[in-house]
Amino acid sequence: MPVALKVTAALKFYTSASFQRPTGDLCGVTQSAVHCCIREVTDALFQRAVDYIRFTMDPGNQAERATSFCSIVGFPQVQGVIDCTHVAIKAPAGRPAEYVNRKFFHSTNVQLVCDHRKRFMQICARFPGSCHDTFILCQSQLPLLFTEMAQMEGWLLGDNGFLHRSGGALQYRLESVARIVAVCCALHNYTVNSGEALQDEERHEQDSSSDNDDAEILQQGRHMGGRRTSRHCMQAKQRAKDARQRLIAQRFSTL
């Protein structure tokens, strides 16, 4: 399959919080082909994730983070904000009970640290859902940065809140789940660095516009015959797929 189609299928899966079949239906390929696309793209991007997820420790970046956070929250010497989120997964074959969190579904508890620009600087996605946030923090590399290595001047801000689960459970092995999380964080940072990340207001307007467009298409479809409606939908899907593939090929040619 063309690289653009593989990337389109993988990105659709990353952002949908759903299963592989809807992605395959949208891209016009089988579920098994979608699985191969997700594996290949995830493995390729995972090798580049370190280029986009960095906790820079030089004095200049530390000073920039501290100044920016102080202007946002009025708290001095903040180097990042930290929290954990539960990524829903299917029950692992080995020791499934360890992955049941306090909300009673299987998950991995992912620790994330963000900077003042909402970029991910550090992730830890290797602990079961039953692990407490504090335990994950103590087992991660973060304490070394602020204590023994003494390379960081300042604080991490966080709370003990519990974030909600995603729209669906990832049907993958634990190693693959960790890779998918890292790749999604890297893609997020890539869009922020490129100035392409949508603000909340812009995303809401775009979603509303998309909903209105879908409603208009459905309304038009009611006035068409069965065969004409089917042909119209197939043509619309093909045009959308071609546009996505062109956009993905253009964006990822710079990586």
Side-chain angles (χ1 to χ4, degrees):
M1 291 185 292
V3 174
L5 179 58
K6 293 181 180 180
V7 175
T8 299
L11 292 181
K12 168 61 179 175
F13 175 78
Y14 295 153
T15 59
S16 64
S18 184
F19 299 100
Q20 295 175 167
R21 187 175 299 279
T23 299
D25 293 341
L26 181 64
C27 297
V29 297
T30 64
Q31 179 178 339
S32 60
V34 173
H35 180 82
C36 293
C37 292
I38 295 171
R39 185 184 66 248
E40 291 183 20
V41 173
T42 298
D43 290 345
L45 292 180
F46 183 77
Q47 302 301 319
R48 298 289 303 275
V50 69
D51 296 335
Y52 298 96
I53 304 175
R54 298 177 178 176
F55 203 149
T56 51
M57 295 177 287
D58 60 280
N61 278 287
Q62 290 193 47
E64 178 186 354
R65 289 194 294 264
T67 301
S68 299
F69 273 119
C70 188
S71 66
I72 295 172
V73 298
F75 201 99
Q77 293 300 314
V78 175
Q79 289 298 317
V81 289
I82 183 173
D83 206 349
C84 289
T85 183
H86 285 262
V87 177
I89 61 174
K90 69 175 182 179
R95 300 172 289 123
E98 294 184 11
Y99 290 84
V100 178
N101 58 42
R102 64 179 184 177
K103 296 295 185 180
F104 305 109
F105 63 90
H106 293 88
S107 69
T108 58
N109 196 0
V110 181
Q111 175 182 277
L112 301 163
V113 179
C114 291
D115 67 5
H116 58 285
R117 294 180 59 190
K118 301 180 182 180
R119 296 176 301 184
F120 296 106
M121 298 189 296
Q122 192 266 355
I123 63 173
C124 183
R126 57 189 175 90
F127 287 96
S130 62
C131 291
H132 194 273
D133 295 359
T134 303
F135 174 82
I136 297 176
L137 173 61
C138 294
Q139 298 298 316
S140 70
Q141 299 177 346
L142 290 176
L144 294 177
L145 299 180
F146 290 85
T147 56
E148 297 181 17
M149 296 177 64
Q151 295 183 350
M152 202 70 66
E153 297 277 343
W155 313 87
L156 290 178
L157 290 185
D159 57 30
N160 60 355
F162 187 92
L163 304 177
H164 65 78
R165 66 181 292 182
S166 62
L170 291 175
Q171 306 294 305
Y172 290 86
R173 295 179 294 108
L174 297 176
E175 180 183 357
S176 298
V177 170
R179 288 184 171 227
I180 290 173
V181 171
V183 165
C184 288
C185 291
L187 289 172
H188 168 83
N189 287 357
Y190 172 77
T191 60
V192 173
N193 292 339
S194 303
E196 298 180 1
L198 293 177
Q199 299 297 325
D200 292 340
E201 295 81 3
E202 294 174 327
R203 186 180 295 107
H204 176 72
E205 293 176 359
Q206 187 181 76
D207 291 343
S208 299
S209 176
S210 177
D211 293 342
N212 293 336
D213 292 341
D214 292 342
E216 182 178 352
I217 292 175
L218 290 174
Q219 184 64 28
Q220 293 175 354
R222 295 191 180 99
H223 299 288
M224 299 180 179
R227 180 175 298 179
R228 185 180 177 186
T229 301
S230 177
R231 184 170 62 252
H232 174 79
C233 292
M234 291 297 295
Q235 292 173 348
K237 286 184 177 180
Q238 185 62 42
R239 288 195 299 270
K241 183 171 70 174
D242 293 342
R244 282 194 298 272
Q245 292 180 7
R246 289 194 299 269
L247 178 61
I248 294 299
Q250 178 182 1
R251 295 280 175 84
F252 278 80
S253 64
T254 61
L255 284 178

